[in-house]
PDB file of all heavy atoms in Angstrom:
ATOM      1  N   THR A  20       6.005   8.839  -4.644  1.00  0.00           N
ATOM      2  CA  THR A  20       7.109   9.205  -5.537  1.00  0.00           C
ATOM      3  C   THR A  20       8.379   9.406  -4.738  1.00  0.00           C
ATOM      4  O   THR A  20       8.381  10.107  -3.727  1.00  0.00           O
ATOM      5  CB  THR A  20       6.782  10.526  -6.275  1.00  0.00           C
ATOM      6  OG1 THR A  20       5.482  10.423  -6.837  1.00  0.00           O
ATOM      7  CG2 THR A  20       7.797  10.808  -7.371  1.00  0.00           C
ATOM      8  N   ARG A  21       9.427   8.807  -5.221  1.00  0.00           N
ATOM      9  CA  ARG A  21      10.710   8.896  -4.536  1.00  0.00           C
ATOM     10  C   ARG A  21      11.792   9.111  -5.582  1.00  0.00           C
ATOM     11  O   ARG A  21      11.849   8.353  -6.546  1.00  0.00           O
ATOM     12  CB  ARG A  21      10.974   7.526  -3.934  1.00  0.00           C
ATOM     13  CG  ARG A  21      11.286   7.421  -2.528  1.00  0.00           C
ATOM     14  CD  ARG A  21      11.353   5.935  -2.215  1.00  0.00           C
ATOM     15  NE  ARG A  21      10.047   5.460  -1.795  1.00  0.00           N
ATOM     16  CZ  ARG A  21       9.641   5.517  -0.524  1.00  0.00           C
ATOM     17  NH1 ARG A  21      10.440   5.982   0.399  1.00  0.00           N
ATOM     18  NH2 ARG A  21       8.446   5.081  -0.190  1.00  0.00           N
ATOM     19  N   ILE A  22      12.589  10.128  -5.421  1.00  0.00           N
ATOM     20  CA  ILE A  22      13.701  10.281  -6.362  1.00  0.00           C
ATOM     21  C   ILE A  22      14.934   9.581  -5.808  1.00  0.00           C
ATOM     22  O   ILE A  22      15.182   9.588  -4.601  1.00  0.00           O
ATOM     23  CB  ILE A  22      13.995  11.757  -6.707  1.00  0.00           C
ATOM     24  CG1 ILE A  22      14.079  12.624  -5.449  1.00  0.00           C
ATOM     25  CG2 ILE A  22      12.953  12.315  -7.674  1.00  0.00           C
ATOM     26  CD1 ILE A  22      14.552  14.046  -5.730  1.00  0.00           C
ATOM     27  N   LEU A  23      15.661   8.965  -6.706  1.00  0.00           N
ATOM     28  CA  LEU A  23      16.834   8.162  -6.338  1.00  0.00           C
ATOM     29  C   LEU A  23      18.051   8.623  -7.131  1.00  0.00           C
ATOM     30  O   LEU A  23      17.905   9.142  -8.246  1.00  0.00           O
ATOM     31  CB  LEU A  23      16.586   6.684  -6.690  1.00  0.00           C
ATOM     32  CG  LEU A  23      15.272   6.071  -6.235  1.00  0.00           C
ATOM     33  CD1 LEU A  23      15.027   4.747  -6.934  1.00  0.00           C
ATOM     34  CD2 LEU A  23      15.299   5.889  -4.719  1.00  0.00           C
ATOM     35  N   ALA A  24      19.202   8.373  -6.601  1.00  0.00           N
ATOM     36  CA  ALA A  24      20.439   8.713  -7.339  1.00  0.00           C
ATOM     37  C   ALA A  24      20.436   8.044  -8.712  1.00  0.00           C
ATOM     38  O   ALA A  24      20.915   8.612  -9.691  1.00  0.00           O
ATOM     39  CB  ALA A  24      21.655   8.282  -6.532  1.00  0.00           C
ATOM     40  N   ALA A  25      19.861   6.843  -8.778  1.00  0.00           N
ATOM     41  CA  ALA A  25      19.848   6.090 -10.040  1.00  0.00           C
ATOM     42  C   ALA A  25      18.971   6.748 -11.112  1.00  0.00           C
ATOM     43  O   ALA A  25      19.072   6.401 -12.286  1.00  0.00           O
ATOM     44  CB  ALA A  25      19.368   4.668  -9.789  1.00  0.00           C
ATOM     45  N   ASP A  26      18.126   7.688 -10.708  1.00  0.00           N
ATOM     46  CA  ASP A  26      17.270   8.383 -11.690  1.00  0.00           C
ATOM     47  C   ASP A  26      18.030   9.487 -12.427  1.00  0.00           C
ATOM     48  O   ASP A  26      17.554   9.986 -13.445  1.00  0.00           O
ATOM     49  CB  ASP A  26      16.089   9.080 -10.989  1.00  0.00           C
ATOM     50  CG  ASP A  26      15.190   8.122 -10.240  1.00  0.00           C
ATOM     51  OD1 ASP A  26      15.112   6.950 -10.645  1.00  0.00           O
ATOM     52  OD2 ASP A  26      14.579   8.556  -9.239  1.00  0.00           O
ATOM     53  N   PHE A  27      19.158   9.885 -11.884  1.00  0.00           N
ATOM     54  CA  PHE A  27      19.802  11.102 -12.387  1.00  0.00           C
ATOM     55  C   PHE A  27      20.869  10.867 -13.451  1.00  0.00           C
ATOM     56  O   PHE A  27      21.596   9.884 -13.407  1.00  0.00           O
ATOM     57  CB  PHE A  27      20.470  11.869 -11.239  1.00  0.00           C
ATOM     58  CG  PHE A  27      19.533  12.287 -10.137  1.00  0.00           C
ATOM     59  CD1 PHE A  27      19.919  12.208  -8.813  1.00  0.00           C
ATOM     60  CD2 PHE A  27      18.265  12.765 -10.432  1.00  0.00           C
ATOM     61  CE1 PHE A  27      19.065  12.589  -7.789  1.00  0.00           C
ATOM     62  CE2 PHE A  27      17.395  13.164  -9.421  1.00  0.00           C
ATOM     63  CZ  PHE A  27      17.801  13.069  -8.088  1.00  0.00           C
ATOM     64  N   VAL A  28      20.939  11.840 -14.348  1.00  0.00           N
ATOM     65  CA  VAL A  28      22.050  11.922 -15.297  1.00  0.00           C
ATOM     66  C   VAL A  28      22.718  13.271 -15.035  1.00  0.00           C
ATOM     67  O   VAL A  28      22.037  14.305 -14.954  1.00  0.00           O
ATOM     68  CB  VAL A  28      21.552  11.873 -16.754  1.00  0.00           C
ATOM     69  CG1 VAL A  28      22.700  12.162 -17.724  1.00  0.00           C
ATOM     70  CG2 VAL A  28      20.914  10.517 -17.067  1.00  0.00           C
ATOM     71  N   TYR A  29      24.036  13.262 -14.914  1.00  0.00           N
ATOM     72  CA  TYR A  29      24.782  14.491 -14.614  1.00  0.00           C
ATOM     73  C   TYR A  29      25.500  14.990 -15.865  1.00  0.00           C
ATOM     74  O   TYR A  29      26.303  14.270 -16.447  1.00  0.00           O
ATOM     75  CB  TYR A  29      25.789  14.182 -13.498  1.00  0.00           C
ATOM     76  CG  TYR A  29      26.486  15.399 -12.939  1.00  0.00           C
ATOM     77  CD1 TYR A  29      25.764  16.499 -12.496  1.00  0.00           C
ATOM     78  CD2 TYR A  29      27.873  15.429 -12.833  1.00  0.00           C
ATOM     79  CE1 TYR A  29      26.409  17.616 -11.968  1.00  0.00           C
ATOM     80  CE2 TYR A  29      28.522  16.539 -12.299  1.00  0.00           C
ATOM     81  CZ  TYR A  29      27.783  17.631 -11.873  1.00  0.00           C
ATOM     82  OH  TYR A  29      28.419  18.721 -11.352  1.00  0.00           O
ATOM     83  N   PRO A  30      25.192  16.214 -16.302  1.00  0.00           N
ATOM     84  CA  PRO A  30      25.857  16.749 -17.494  1.00  0.00           C
ATOM     85  C   PRO A  30      27.283  17.254 -17.180  1.00  0.00           C
ATOM     86  O   PRO A  30      27.522  17.828 -16.117  1.00  0.00           O
ATOM     87  CB  PRO A  30      24.982  17.950 -17.892  1.00  0.00           C
ATOM     88  CG  PRO A  30      23.736  17.850 -17.058  1.00  0.00           C
ATOM     89  CD  PRO A  30      24.145  17.138 -15.812  1.00  0.00           C
ATOM     90  N   TYR A  31      28.171  17.017 -18.123  1.00  0.00           N
ATOM     91  CA  TYR A  31      29.551  17.518 -18.024  1.00  0.00           C
ATOM     92  C   TYR A  31      29.918  18.256 -19.304  1.00  0.00           C
ATOM     93  O   TYR A  31      29.578  17.801 -20.399  1.00  0.00           O
ATOM     94  CB  TYR A  31      30.535  16.354 -17.891  1.00  0.00           C
ATOM     95  CG  TYR A  31      30.832  15.881 -16.491  1.00  0.00           C
ATOM     96  CD1 TYR A  31      30.555  14.558 -16.117  1.00  0.00           C
ATOM     97  CD2 TYR A  31      31.423  16.710 -15.550  1.00  0.00           C
ATOM     98  CE1 TYR A  31      30.855  14.083 -14.847  1.00  0.00           C
ATOM     99  CE2 TYR A  31      31.724  16.246 -14.271  1.00  0.00           C
ATOM    100  CZ  TYR A  31      31.445  14.935 -13.926  1.00  0.00           C
ATOM    101  OH  TYR A  31      31.749  14.484 -12.669  1.00  0.00           O
ATOM    102  N   PHE A  32      30.643  19.348 -19.156  1.00  0.00           N
ATOM    103  CA  PHE A  32      31.178  20.078 -20.310  1.00  0.00           C
ATOM    104  C   PHE A  32      32.661  19.754 -20.424  1.00  0.00           C
ATOM    105  O   PHE A  32      33.414  19.972 -19.467  1.00  0.00           O
ATOM    106  CB  PHE A  32      30.966  21.593 -20.129  1.00  0.00           C
ATOM    107  CG  PHE A  32      29.513  21.948 -20.045  1.00  0.00           C
ATOM    108  CD1 PHE A  32      28.894  22.134 -18.809  1.00  0.00           C
ATOM    109  CD2 PHE A  32      28.742  22.054 -21.195  1.00  0.00           C
ATOM    110  CE1 PHE A  32      27.529  22.427 -18.726  1.00  0.00           C
ATOM    111  CE2 PHE A  32      27.385  22.351 -21.119  1.00  0.00           C
ATOM    112  CZ  PHE A  32      26.779  22.532 -19.887  1.00  0.00           C
ATOM    113  N   VAL A  33      33.045  19.223 -21.582  1.00  0.00           N
ATOM    114  CA  VAL A  33      34.439  18.813 -21.748  1.00  0.00           C
ATOM    115  C   VAL A  33      35.129  19.653 -22.813  1.00  0.00           C
ATOM    116  O   VAL A  33      34.555  19.957 -23.863  1.00  0.00           O
ATOM    117  CB  VAL A  33      34.569  17.309 -22.069  1.00  0.00           C
ATOM    118  CG1 VAL A  33      34.218  16.490 -20.853  1.00  0.00           C
ATOM    119  CG2 VAL A  33      33.702  16.897 -23.244  1.00  0.00           C
ATOM    120  N   THR A  34      36.359  20.000 -22.512  1.00  0.00           N
ATOM    121  CA  THR A  34      37.087  20.928 -23.362  1.00  0.00           C
ATOM    122  C   THR A  34      38.500  20.398 -23.619  1.00  0.00           C
ATOM    123  O   THR A  34      39.048  19.683 -22.770  1.00  0.00           O
ATOM    124  CB  THR A  34      37.080  22.332 -22.682  1.00  0.00           C
ATOM    125  OG1 THR A  34      37.470  23.308 -23.618  1.00  0.00           O
ATOM    126  CG2 THR A  34      37.984  22.393 -21.464  1.00  0.00           C
ATOM    127  N   PRO A  35      39.075  20.697 -24.800  1.00  0.00           N
ATOM    128  CA  PRO A  35      40.404  20.166 -25.104  1.00  0.00           C
ATOM    129  C   PRO A  35      41.466  20.752 -24.168  1.00  0.00           C
ATOM    130  O   PRO A  35      41.297  21.843 -23.626  1.00  0.00           O
ATOM    131  CB  PRO A  35      40.672  20.644 -26.540  1.00  0.00           C
ATOM    132  CG  PRO A  35      39.376  21.118 -27.069  1.00  0.00           C
ATOM    133  CD  PRO A  35      38.540  21.512 -25.910  1.00  0.00           C
ATOM    134  N   GLY A  36      42.552  20.025 -24.023  1.00  0.00           N
ATOM    135  CA  GLY A  36      43.670  20.510 -23.211  1.00  0.00           C
ATOM    136  C   GLY A  36      43.925  19.605 -22.029  1.00  0.00           C
ATOM    137  O   GLY A  36      43.407  18.486 -21.950  1.00  0.00           O
ATOM    138  N   LYS A  37      44.720  20.133 -21.113  1.00  0.00           N
ATOM    139  CA  LYS A  37      45.081  19.362 -19.916  1.00  0.00           C
ATOM    140  C   LYS A  37      44.972  20.264 -18.695  1.00  0.00           C
ATOM    141  O   LYS A  37      45.132  21.475 -18.784  1.00  0.00           O
ATOM    142  CB  LYS A  37      46.531  18.863 -20.055  1.00  0.00           C
ATOM    143  CG  LYS A  37      46.646  17.603 -20.924  1.00  0.00           C
ATOM    144  CD  LYS A  37      47.930  16.836 -20.578  1.00  0.00           C
ATOM    145  CE  LYS A  37      47.890  15.375 -20.939  1.00  0.00           C
ATOM    146  NZ  LYS A  37      47.377  15.034 -22.252  1.00  0.00           N
ATOM    147  N   LYS A  38      44.691  19.643 -17.576  1.00  0.00           N
ATOM    148  CA  LYS A  38      44.659  20.338 -16.274  1.00  0.00           C
ATOM    149  C   LYS A  38      43.652  21.494 -16.236  1.00  0.00           C
ATOM    150  O   LYS A  38      43.850  22.476 -15.526  1.00  0.00           O
ATOM    151  CB  LYS A  38      46.052  20.883 -15.918  1.00  0.00           C
ATOM    152  CG  LYS A  38      47.136  19.815 -15.798  1.00  0.00           C
ATOM    153  CD  LYS A  38      47.480  19.543 -14.325  1.00  0.00           C
ATOM    154  CE  LYS A  38      48.335  18.304 -14.133  1.00  0.00           C
ATOM    155  NZ  LYS A  38      47.696  17.038 -14.555  1.00  0.00           N
ATOM    156  N   ILE A  39      42.602  21.386 -17.050  1.00  0.00           N
ATOM    157  CA  ILE A  39      41.618  22.467 -17.058  1.00  0.00           C
ATOM    158  C   ILE A  39      40.396  22.086 -16.225  1.00  0.00           C
ATOM    159  O   ILE A  39      39.787  21.043 -16.436  1.00  0.00           O
ATOM    160  CB  ILE A  39      41.168  22.811 -18.493  1.00  0.00           C
ATOM    161  CG1 ILE A  39      42.370  23.290 -19.322  1.00  0.00           C
ATOM    162  CG2 ILE A  39      40.072  23.888 -18.473  1.00  0.00           C
ATOM    163  CD1 ILE A  39      42.088  23.403 -20.809  1.00  0.00           C
ATOM    164  N   LYS A  40      40.087  22.969 -15.270  1.00  0.00           N
ATOM    165  CA  LYS A  40      38.800  22.909 -14.565  1.00  0.00           C
ATOM    166  C   LYS A  40      38.420  24.354 -14.358  1.00  0.00           C
ATOM    167  O   LYS A  40      38.967  25.014 -13.476  1.00  0.00           O
ATOM    168  CB  LYS A  40      38.932  22.173 -13.228  1.00  0.00           C
ATOM    169  CG  LYS A  40      37.622  22.154 -12.447  1.00  0.00           C
ATOM    170  CD  LYS A  40      37.733  21.503 -11.083  1.00  0.00           C
ATOM    171  CE  LYS A  40      36.417  21.657 -10.333  1.00  0.00           C
ATOM    172  NZ  LYS A  40      36.454  21.050  -8.992  1.00  0.00           N
ATOM    173  N   GLU A  41      37.554  24.871 -15.245  1.00  0.00           N
ATOM    174  CA  GLU A  41      37.248  26.292 -15.164  1.00  0.00           C
ATOM    175  C   GLU A  41      35.773  26.545 -14.904  1.00  0.00           C
ATOM    176  O   GLU A  41      34.901  25.883 -15.468  1.00  0.00           O
ATOM    177  CB  GLU A  41      37.719  27.026 -16.431  1.00  0.00           C
ATOM    178  CG  GLU A  41      37.133  26.497 -17.717  1.00  0.00           C
ATOM    179  CD  GLU A  41      37.779  27.092 -18.965  1.00  0.00           C
ATOM    180  OE1 GLU A  41      38.842  27.734 -18.854  1.00  0.00           O
ATOM    181  OE2 GLU A  41      37.210  26.907 -20.063  1.00  0.00           O
ATOM    182  N   ALA A  42      35.541  27.526 -14.046  1.00  0.00           N
ATOM    183  CA  ALA A  42      34.163  27.891 -13.707  1.00  0.00           C
ATOM    184  C   ALA A  42      33.510  28.556 -14.919  1.00  0.00           C
ATOM    185  O   ALA A  42      34.197  29.095 -15.791  1.00  0.00           O
ATOM    186  CB  ALA A  42      34.170  28.847 -12.525  1.00  0.00           C
ATOM    187  N   ILE A  43      32.184  28.500 -14.981  1.00  0.00           N
ATOM    188  CA  ILE A  43      31.444  29.093 -16.097  1.00  0.00           C
ATOM    189  C   ILE A  43      30.614  30.246 -15.549  1.00  0.00           C
ATOM    190  O   ILE A  43      29.872  30.085 -14.571  1.00  0.00           O
ATOM    191  CB  ILE A  43      30.532  28.035 -16.750  1.00  0.00           C
ATOM    192  CG1 ILE A  43      31.387  26.879 -17.303  1.00  0.00           C
ATOM    193  CG2 ILE A  43      29.676  28.655 -17.846  1.00  0.00           C
ATOM    194  CD1 ILE A  43      30.631  25.586 -17.501  1.00  0.00           C
ATOM    195  N   LYS A  44      30.733  31.390 -16.195  1.00  0.00           N
ATOM    196  CA  LYS A  44      30.051  32.597 -15.726  1.00  0.00           C
ATOM    197  C   LYS A  44      28.529  32.376 -15.667  1.00  0.00           C
ATOM    198  O   LYS A  44      27.931  31.896 -16.635  1.00  0.00           O
ATOM    199  CB  LYS A  44      30.389  33.751 -16.677  1.00  0.00           C
ATOM    200  CG  LYS A  44      30.048  35.110 -16.092  1.00  0.00           C
ATOM    201  CD  LYS A  44      30.657  36.234 -16.908  1.00  0.00           C
ATOM    202  CE  LYS A  44      30.000  36.431 -18.142  1.00  0.00           C
ATOM    203  NZ  LYS A  44      29.455  37.122 -19.037  1.00  0.00           N
ATOM    204  N   GLY A  45      27.925  32.702 -14.557  1.00  0.00           N
ATOM    205  CA  GLY A  45      26.471  32.588 -14.429  1.00  0.00           C
ATOM    206  C   GLY A  45      25.967  31.155 -14.295  1.00  0.00           C
ATOM    207  O   GLY A  45      24.778  30.889 -14.458  1.00  0.00           O
ATOM    208  N   PHE A  46      26.889  30.227 -14.030  1.00  0.00           N
ATOM    209  CA  PHE A  46      26.501  28.810 -13.972  1.00  0.00           C
ATOM    210  C   PHE A  46      27.157  28.202 -12.729  1.00  0.00           C
ATOM    211  O   PHE A  46      28.132  27.465 -12.799  1.00  0.00           O
ATOM    212  CB  PHE A  46      26.966  28.100 -15.240  1.00  0.00           C
ATOM    213  CG  PHE A  46      26.151  26.913 -15.653  1.00  0.00           C
ATOM    214  CD1 PHE A  46      26.240  26.425 -16.956  1.00  0.00           C
ATOM    215  CD2 PHE A  46      25.295  26.278 -14.770  1.00  0.00           C
ATOM    216  CE1 PHE A  46      25.499  25.336 -17.371  1.00  0.00           C
ATOM    217  CE2 PHE A  46      24.545  25.185 -15.170  1.00  0.00           C
ATOM    218  CZ  PHE A  46      24.658  24.711 -16.474  1.00  0.00           C
ATOM    219  N   GLU A  47      26.548  28.574 -11.581  1.00  0.00           N
ATOM    220  CA  GLU A  47      27.103  28.224 -10.273  1.00  0.00           C
ATOM    221  C   GLU A  47      27.362  26.721 -10.108  1.00  0.00           C
ATOM    222  O   GLU A  47      26.477  25.906 -10.374  1.00  0.00           O
ATOM    223  CB  GLU A  47      26.060  28.671  -9.234  1.00  0.00           C
ATOM    224  CG  GLU A  47      26.597  28.932  -7.871  1.00  0.00           C
ATOM    225  CD  GLU A  47      25.460  29.406  -6.953  1.00  0.00           C
ATOM    226  OE1 GLU A  47      24.582  30.172  -7.398  1.00  0.00           O
ATOM    227  OE2 GLU A  47      25.466  28.984  -5.791  1.00  0.00           O
ATOM    228  N   GLY A  48      28.546  26.401  -9.673  1.00  0.00           N
ATOM    229  CA  GLY A  48      28.849  25.009  -9.338  1.00  0.00           C
ATOM    230  C   GLY A  48      29.186  24.129 -10.524  1.00  0.00           C
ATOM    231  O   GLY A  48      29.470  22.944 -10.360  1.00  0.00           O
TER     232      GLY A  48
END
Side-chain angles (χ1 to χ4, degrees):
T20 310
R21 233 174 269 273
I22 48 172
L23 311 166
D26 299 332
F27 301 140
V28 172
Y29 189 52
Y31 271 120
F32 298 98
V33 289
T34 195
K37 279 203 157 46
K38 300 255 168 297
I39 299 169
K40 177 183 174 180
E41 58 189 13
I43 299 159
K44 195 168 73 132
F46 208 162
E47 204 178 321

